[in-house]
Amino acid sequence: MKRRKFIQNASLSTLGIAVGTSVFASGMKTSISEEKNLKNETSGFPMVIATWNVNDSTAEAWRVLKEGGTSIDAIEKGCMIEEANAEGQSVGLGGLPDRDGNVTLDACIMNKEGDYGAVVYLQNIMHPISVARKVMEDTPHVILAGKGAEQFAYSEGFKKVDLLTEKSKKAWEAWKKTSQYKPIINIENHDTIGMLAIDENGDISGGCTTSGLAYKMAGRVGDSPIIGSGLFIDNEIGGATATGLGEEVLKTVGSFLIVELMRQGKTPQQACEEAIGRIIKKTPNFKDFQVGYIAVNKKGETGYYAIHDGFWVTKYQNDKNENFASDFYDKK
Ligand code: SD4
């Protein structure tokens, strides 16, 4: 089946993109506030914000920041929590596999200097965010893919891990039974992490880590590890990161767009809304997929916006680790 056809046929729910549902990452310790806080008025740093309900991850990032750690350390440590969570099915261990049953991971990281490192189509490694950081810091390159990335990880001391859990294997087997190319399984746990942090010095870093779309074609790489699409940081301005159907984020270079809009004077919220607007304008079938963005500026002001209801963010700021329901475009 041709790529475009596959993407069009694959509905949002079948690809592991939740729409119209509240999503709750398993292992979450803090309860979600009943009130939908759409005003999002807080600012200041240190702070950390992440896509979806990932309170354990933001708590870990906050711990690093409060101890005077750098934003890049906070990002790596925070993302690692969700990568190691076997219950979460869209990142790291326990991630849903591609249609051939292989768990393949994409991740990237960016620091305050604007350095970037990424791994794409990485297998058998629990912490792609850490390998991405090694690519950034210890190699002359910015992206390593597939076997090369895996070999590099082993050479850096990472251990081989079977990432396909029983739970995800069962889900994949159920998907295979019902349909080869039009899966009907509905995935409601969502925890692909895009994370942005500002440390006590006011320096911004970001990271993004995912197992990508469930039951994707073998070899498919999404937006998450691609600079400017799944993540972009400019320490003078702010940062942005994305979740959802990566093909649409890639086509609009969403995270770079948001940072550039903030550079032109937009608030993080206005910038996220405009980036979603670009997708809506260009893509008549936007009802079939979800994209969500989060952004932060130099003051620690944040924004978040999605195409559909059901996108949540977690923010640790001013000593509070809170979940917020994102406002969205498609009000029906
Ligand atoms: C991708 N953007 O691979 C990722 C998927 C995602 O929550 O964010 N899922 O397209």
Side-chain angles (χ1 to χ4, degrees):
M1 186 184 288
K2 291 220 170 67
R3 188 187 77 91
R4 184 169 295 275
K5 189 112 188 281
F6 167 66
I7 292 164
Q8 281 168 352
N9 283 352
S11 77
L12 178 150
S13 58
T14 60
L15 286 174
I17 305 292
V19 168
T21 55
S22 293
V23 283
F24 304 89
S26 39
M28 193 179 73
K29 291 199 178 106
T30 313
S31 66
I32 292 166
S33 74
E34 286 299 300
E35 206 175 311
K36 285 196 172 189
N37 185 350
L38 301 175
K39 285 207 186 122
N40 183 26
E41 278 163 349
T42 52
S43 63
F45 49 82
M47 62 81 61
V48 55
I49 184 168
T51 54
W52 307 108
N53 295 312
V54 289
N55 299 60
D56 291 348
S57 290
T58 48
E60 176 62 8
W62 178 259
R63 188 192 60 74
V64 173
L65 295 169
K66 281 303 265 189
E67 287 172 3
T70 58
S71 53
I72 195 76
D73 283 341
I75 291 292
E76 182 184 3
K77 293 276 183 304
C79 288
M80 283 172 72
I81 296 288
E82 202 51 48
E83 287 178 339
N85 174 13
E87 290 301 307
Q89 288 187 293
S90 36
V91 62
L93 180 67
L96 286 165
D98 66 15
R99 59 178 63 171
D100 300 330
N102 297 311
V103 180
T104 71
L105 308 174
D106 295 339
C108 78
I109 198 160
M110 262 189 106
N111 67 14
K112 66 184 165 87
E113 277 91 21
D115 295 325
Y116 156 77
V119 286
V120 305
Y121 197 68
L122 176 66
Q123 289 173 259
N124 301 314
I125 301 290
M126 174 103 85
H127 291 300
I129 195 74
S130 302
V131 186
R133 184 169 178 182
K134 293 272 185 205
V135 171
M136 177 174 80
E137 292 177 350
D138 296 351
T139 81
H141 307 302
V142 294
I143 305 178
L144 290 182
K147 281 280 166 244
E150 194 176 334
Q151 285 311 322
F152 171 68
Y154 297 142
S155 76
E156 291 283 334
F158 290 84
K159 297 273 168 293
K160 184 169 186 166
V161 179
D162 182 2
L163 299 171
L164 188 64
T165 55
E166 266 315 297
K167 183 177 163 189
S168 288
K169 192 170 172 209
K170 277 202 183 111
W172 170 61
E173 279 162 358
W175 170 77
K176 274 205 303 184
K177 250 186 253 157
T178 47
S179 167
Q180 199 72 11
Y181 295 115
K182 287 188 185 176
I184 56 166
I185 191 166
N186 190 13
I187 296 116
E188 292 180 352
N189 267 339
H190 232 301
D191 52 3
T192 291
I193 287 202
M195 184 182 271
L196 309 167
I198 312 182
D199 59 30
E200 279 177 354
N201 292 329
D203 290 324
I204 308 172
S205 300
C208 195
T209 177
T210 187
S211 53
L213 298 182
Y215 320 127
K216 60 196 175 186
M217 292 173 71
R220 182 265 188 190
V221 172
D223 61 310
S224 304
I226 304 301
I227 189 169
S229 291
L231 177 74
F232 194 70
I233 303 293
D234 183 331
N235 196 35
E236 280 179 24
I237 304 298
T241 184
T243 184
L245 186 64
E247 281 71 9
E248 300 303 325
V249 177
L250 281 160
K251 286 192 287 184
T252 48
V253 199
S255 294
F256 183 70
L257 171 63
I258 289 170
V259 172
E260 290 309 299
L261 289 167
M262 291 194 290
R263 192 190 307 276
Q264 289 163 22
K266 298 230 188 267
T267 64
Q269 185 61 34
Q270 288 166 340
C272 288
E273 290 179 21
E274 180 154 344
I276 289 292
R278 297 275 177 104
I279 295 175
I280 304 289
K281 212 159 126 192
K282 288 189 177 154
T283 323
N285 69 330
F286 69 85
K287 285 193 184 292
D288 293 340
F289 61 85
Q290 175 71 305
V291 171
Y293 287 115
I294 65 174
V296 67
N297 66 13
K298 209 51 192 161
K299 292 186 239 166
E301 294 166 343
T302 56
Y304 32 85
Y305 200 64
I307 299 176
H308 302 281
D309 196 7
F311 177 45
W312 287 74
V313 306
T314 310
K315 183 161 67 161
Y316 213 137
Q317 194 170 37
N318 301 319
D319 288 311
K320 278 192 270 174
N321 194 12
E322 291 178 291
N323 304 98
F324 297 90
S326 171
D327 198 4
F328 54 97
Y329 175 84
D330 189 21
K331 299 274 171 32
K332 312 288 181 208

